[in-house]
């Protein structure tokens, strides 16, 4: 289709109404610009709208995750648990939408299938999957780093006659497990949460595991009235601490090296961190465990002992212990009794490295040695991370260049926020952006405020077009690759290194995240702005 006089026109189109899209909408309105948000779901909240699977909850401390920009909202909202569950977080997202009166500018049930730059008109034209068009000078993607669910590439998925769900697009209606034979495929962060919760009521549970992960205890608890008061009083302090830490979490790395302390001191420190809530064991550990293999081996051995202590059957424990990566080199799932699930008589672990799945059948799942019958199959197979939601939109820039083609060998961006050849388009929480390795709302605020300041700069100067230069893009992309080399995780296959065996073309390692840390990223963004938006060409 092509635009006609009746095509709605805005100054800004935002794709996505998760936290990024909501905050961006709020700030764009304050610039006095006309704006429309297009959202595939029927409500706001993004991740917290879609991921309604049992057990879904934060790994971030709730009180570090919420938006910091509104003192009024901080005062009004009371998180009930230190690590909030999905229903409460979704209520929080809806509260923001109500308070800021966001819904009147959001078109729900609107999945964007294409976004094409019209150079002559200096504007973007988007089209929804049901054929609606709209145009805007600026296009801001807020489509999420983990919002493109992937199914496994196993034959027969359509054949299964029981209930089947993907955790990332869980139904809104209640799903029950009592008395049912349930099969779960996957053991990543989502699976770990879901398995633990489902095991509480299930008839019989079979977990199909290909790659075990190093999981650490979450230690969630309710927030009592006194703690609530203290959190509210300390918000400025809490956000300041997050701001200074590598990934904007409340946890700071210990300044010591694991290899510089005695084995006794090391063990006691690991034990202490293992007993504390949240990502402390990952983000607040000795400073060398994620960069030095020998140091990493010490925490890996500790975590291995923990699994053996918690899982009664040594053969099952063996299967649950990762052998292809050290602790912390992939996203660490936090758990609340995950390992003990495998001590239940009604739970079975199938190691797909020994007996791969051959196909899904009418009755269940057939591996190389047997067929398992199920009433329900749950695909906890995750997402086509970070670039997946971009790949699912036909985005074309100058001269019709497709973004997917441009990124075929890995993303190329400037600051993870713009792309040469794609003028007037901004990518919130996009690849190569510190937000992808972050307590995300902390970085969302930075991304959105930075993009808004750039739009204001253009308004003030009467500019209508902005594009990252090729040189700036190359320099940033090389910097992203260079800083990632220091970290052990770049030597491991994971979604952070662009590997997804369920997605064609994603079998080659690349760098999707910015691993230089949020403070360094913010500093660079501020310098660029301070120098009149160095690296951008304006018209
Ligand atoms: C289960 C789970 C737990 C998580 N826990 C944490 C945590 O503890 N701490 C943390 O920091 N982060 C966590 N995350 C990451 C989480 O995604 C971010 O914290 C944050 O919610 C991202 O917000 P966003 O608005 O950028 O993206 P999203 O919340 O993913 O929102 C993107 C929106 O864009 C929409 N969209 C995408 N493509 C299109 C299209 N083509 N057309 C129209 N709409 C589109 C989607 O429907 C979605 O609503 C978690 C993620 C998951 C999946």
């Amino acid at each position: 289709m092509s635009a006609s006089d009746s095509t709605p026109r805005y100054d800004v189109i935002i794709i996505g109404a998760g936290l990024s899209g909501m905050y961006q909408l709020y700030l764009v309105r304050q610039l006095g610009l006309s704006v429309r948000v297009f959202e595939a779901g029927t409500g706001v909240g993004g991740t917290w709208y879609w991921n309604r699977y049992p057990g879904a909850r934060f790994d971030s401390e709730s009180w570090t995750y919420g938006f910091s920009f509104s003192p009024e909202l901080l005062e009004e909202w009371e998180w009930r648990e230190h690590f909030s569950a999905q229903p409460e977080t979704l209520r929080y997202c809806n509260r923001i939408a109500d308070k800021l009166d966001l819904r009147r500018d959001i078109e729900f049930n609107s999945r964007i299938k294409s976004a094409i730059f019209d150079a002559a008109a200096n504007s973007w034209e988007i089209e929804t999957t049901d054929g609606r068009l709209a145009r805007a000078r600026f296009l801001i993607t807020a489509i999420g780093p983990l919002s493109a669910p992937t199914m496994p590439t196993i034959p027969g998925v359509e054949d299964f006659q029981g209930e089947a769900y993907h955790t990332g697009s869980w139904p809104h209606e209640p799903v029950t497990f009592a008395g049912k034979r349930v099969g779960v495929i996957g053991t990543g962060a989502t699976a770990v949460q879901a398995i633990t919760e489902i095991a509480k009521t299930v008839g019989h549970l079979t977990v199909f595991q290909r790659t075990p992960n190093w999981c650490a205890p979450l230690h969630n608890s309710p927030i009592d009235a006194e703690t609530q008061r203290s959190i509210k009083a300390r918000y400025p302090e809490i956000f300041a601490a997050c701001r200074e830490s590598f990934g904007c979490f409340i946890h700071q790395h210990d300044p010591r090296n694991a290899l510089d302390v005695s084995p006794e001191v090391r063990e006691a420190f690991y034990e202490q961190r293992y007993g504390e809530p949240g990502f402390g064991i990952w983000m607040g550990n000795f400073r060398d465990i994620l960069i030095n293999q020998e140091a990493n081996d010490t925490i890996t051995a500790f975590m291995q002992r923990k699994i053996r202590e918690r899982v009664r059957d040594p053969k099952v424990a063996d299967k649950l212990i990762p052998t292809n990566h050290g602790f912390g080199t992939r996203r660490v799932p936090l758990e609340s009794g995950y390992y003990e699930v495998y001590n239940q008589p009604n739970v079975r672990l199938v190691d797909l490295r020994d007996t791969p799945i051959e196909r899904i059948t009418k009755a269940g799942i057939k591996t190389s040695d047997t067929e398992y019958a199920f009433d329900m199959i749950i695909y906890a197979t995750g997402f086509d991370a970070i670039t997946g939601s971009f790949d699912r939109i036909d985005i074309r820039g100058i001269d019709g260049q497709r973004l997917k083609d441009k990124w075929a060998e890995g993303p190329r961006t400037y600051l993870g926020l713009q792309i040469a050849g794609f003028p007037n388009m901004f990518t919130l929480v996009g690849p190569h952006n510190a937000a992808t390795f972050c307590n995300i709302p902390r970085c969302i605020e930075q991304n959105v405020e930075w993009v808004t300041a750039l739009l204001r700069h253009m308004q003030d100067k009467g500019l209508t077009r902005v594009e990252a230069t090729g040189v700036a893009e190359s320099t940033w992309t090389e910097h992203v690759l260079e800083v990632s080399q220091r970290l052990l995780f770049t030597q491991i296959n994971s979604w952070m290194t662009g590997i997804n065996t369920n997605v064609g073309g994603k079998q080659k390692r690349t760098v999707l995240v910015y691993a230089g840390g949020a403070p360094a990223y913010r500093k660079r963004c501020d310098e660029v702005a301070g120098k009149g938006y160095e690296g951008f060409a304006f018209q």
Side-chain angles (χ1 to χ4, degrees), residues 15-21 38-41 45-48 50-51 53 57-60 65 110-112 142-147 190 331 383 389 393 429 438-441 444:
I15 313 178
L19 290 173
S20 301
F38 291 85
E39 165 56 54
T47 286
W48 308 106
W50 293 105
N51 289 267
Y53 62 85
R57 69 170 65 246
F58 283 150
D59 290 332
S60 298
Y65 186 95
S110 302
R111 185 170 287 283
I112 303 303
I143 51 184
L146 299 172
S147 66
T190 283
R331 162 67 156 85
F383 303 93
S389 45
I393 305 175
V429 198
C438 191
N439 183 13
I440 294 188
I444 287 176

Side-chain angles (χ1 to χ4, degrees), residues 466-528:
V466 56
E467 183 187 350
T469 66
V471 173
E473 181 183 84
S474 294
T475 310
W476 179 254
T477 303
E478 277 159 32
H479 170 65
V480 169
L481 300 181
E482 195 188 308
V483 289
S484 74
Q485 295 312 320
R486 288 185 322 138
L487 289 162
L488 295 173
F489 87 86
T490 51
Q491 295 155 33
I492 302 295
N493 287 352
S494 79
W495 62 258
M496 293 195 291
T497 51
I499 302 287
N500 189 327
T501 48
N502 295 322
V503 182
K506 301 236 166 145
Q507 275 76 44
K508 211 172 73 189
R509 263 188 227 156
T510 169
V511 177
L512 297 185
V513 302
Y514 177 64
Y521 175 80
R522 193 173 49 241
K523 184 162 170 269
R524 183 70 196 122
C525 288
D526 290 347
E527 279 166 10
V528 166

